[in-house]
Amino acid sequence: GHLASTAPGCCPPQPLNTAFNGSSDGWASAPAKNGFDWHYKEMANAKSAPGALHFGNADGSPITIPAGPVVTTLVVADGPSVLLLPGKDATLTMQVWLDMTVGFNATAQLRVYTIHNGVEVTLLTVQAAQAKSGWTPFTIDLSPAAGSALPLKFEAKFVSSQFAALSGTGFYVDDVQVNSNCAPKKCTTGANCANGGFGCIAGSCTNGECGYSNGCCGGDSECNDGNVCTADKCIGGKCQFAAIAGCCV
C-alpha cells in the first residue's frame, strides 16, 4: 500500500512510488469537463514505460481550443494519501510534461496540492512554458508536514482567451515518488526549515536538524477558551470562539 508503517523502528524510505505501469495506480479523475479528464495512457515516450497519467482527450487525439469566448476547464485527479512519519524528512518528486501551446492571455496550468489541517496547500504550480519541451523533474519538500497523512491531488486547468487558442496533446505526469532518508531534515540555518507553504507550521534549526511545530487545530475538540458562552470551532485550521446569543453565567 501507500501508507508507511508506524511500527516502532520502521521507516520505509519510499512510502510512495507511482510509475503508472499499466494503470492509473489509484489516481481517480473528477468527471470530465469540456471533454477532458485524467486517465492512464500508454505512450512510447513515457518517462518510465509503458505509460503515464494523462490529462486531455481520452483517445489521445490533439486538443484544439479556439480563440473566442473565455472558457475555463478545471479537473482534479485525486491520488493516494501518504503518511509521513513524525520527525523524518520527506520529499515529493515527479516528472511533468505539459505538451500545450498557449497563446496570449490563455492558460494551461498544472497545480499539485494537498489538504493539511483542513486547509488546502499548494505544493507546486507549473505553467505550460515551464515543461513544454519534454519531461521535466520537480521536487517538493514535504518535511514540514511530517507526522501527517497528506492526500495528493493534481489540478489541470485550461483557460481560453478571446485573442488566442490552446493546442497540444495535454498534460502528462509520471514517476510520482515520496522519498525519505528516515532522519530529521538537515539544516545550517532556520531558512533551511521554511514551512513550505504549510501555513500552520513553524520551523527552526537546532543542532543541525530541522524541527517543526504545528500551530493549527485539527478539529473542534482542540479548541477551548474556557468560556461556556462561546461556541468553540476549528475553522480552516484556526480556533474561533463565537459568542452564544443569550448566554450568561
Side-chain angles (χ1 to χ4, degrees):
H2 296 297
L3 294 182
S5 171
T6 55
C10 180
C11 176
Q14 193 174 72
L16 177 67
N17 183 11
T18 305
F20 305 106
N21 290 330
S23 74
S24 60
D25 260 342
W27 290 79
S29 180
K33 186 170 183 181
N34 299 327
F36 307 124
D37 68 359
W38 288 97
H39 49 267
Y40 170 75
K41 176 178 172 58
E42 289 195 2
M43 51 190 299
N45 52 355
K47 186 62 180 179
S48 57
L53 192 65
H54 174 236
F55 177 75
N57 288 318
D59 61 3
S61 59
I63 296 168
T64 301
I65 304 175
V70 174
V71 176
T72 298
T73 301
L74 191 150
V75 182
V76 173
D78 290 312
S81 182
V82 182
L83 180 61
L84 309 180
L85 296 185
K88 310 299 184 185
D89 68 339
T91 302
L92 171 64
T93 61
M94 65 185 68
Q95 296 282 340
V96 175
W97 183 6
L98 307 186
D99 183 29
M100 294 294 296
T101 297
V102 181
F104 176 74
N105 265 3
T107 299
Q109 172 187 288
L110 171 68
R111 185 171 73 103
V112 181
Y113 70 100
T114 189
I115 307 297
H116 183 253
N117 284 120
V119 178
E120 192 173 290
V121 178
T122 297
L123 302 173
L124 174 71
T125 302
V126 186
Q127 305 296 333
Q130 296 173 262
K132 176 177 168 48
S133 58
W135 290 108
T136 305
F138 291 92
T139 300
I140 303 107
D141 183 20
L142 299 180
S143 302
S148 303
L150 296 182
L152 299 178
K153 300 173 182 289
F154 296 155
E155 177 190 87
K157 183 178 183 180
F158 294 156
V159 182
S160 64
S161 163
Q162 180 181 355
F163 306 104
L166 291 86
S167 62
T169 63
F171 296 171
Y172 303 89
V173 180
D174 207 354
D175 293 350
V176 182
Q177 299 179 350
V178 175
N179 296 287
S180 176
N181 292 311
C182 292
K185 182 182 177 182
K186 302 302 181 184
C187 59
T188 55
T189 70
N192 302 136
C193 307
N195 70 7
F198 293 92
C200 294
I201 303 299
S204 60
C205 181
T206 304
N207 297 326
E209 295 181 346
C210 287
Y212 300 97
S213 59
N214 189 340
C216 288
C217 55
D220 293 348
S221 62
E222 298 177 20
C223 300
N224 185 356
D225 64 354
N227 185 345
V228 297
C229 285
T230 59
D232 304 341
K233 297 288 185 180
C234 177
I235 301 175
K238 301 294 185 182
C239 287
Q240 296 187 20
F241 309 103
I244 299 174
C247 177
C248 61
V249 292

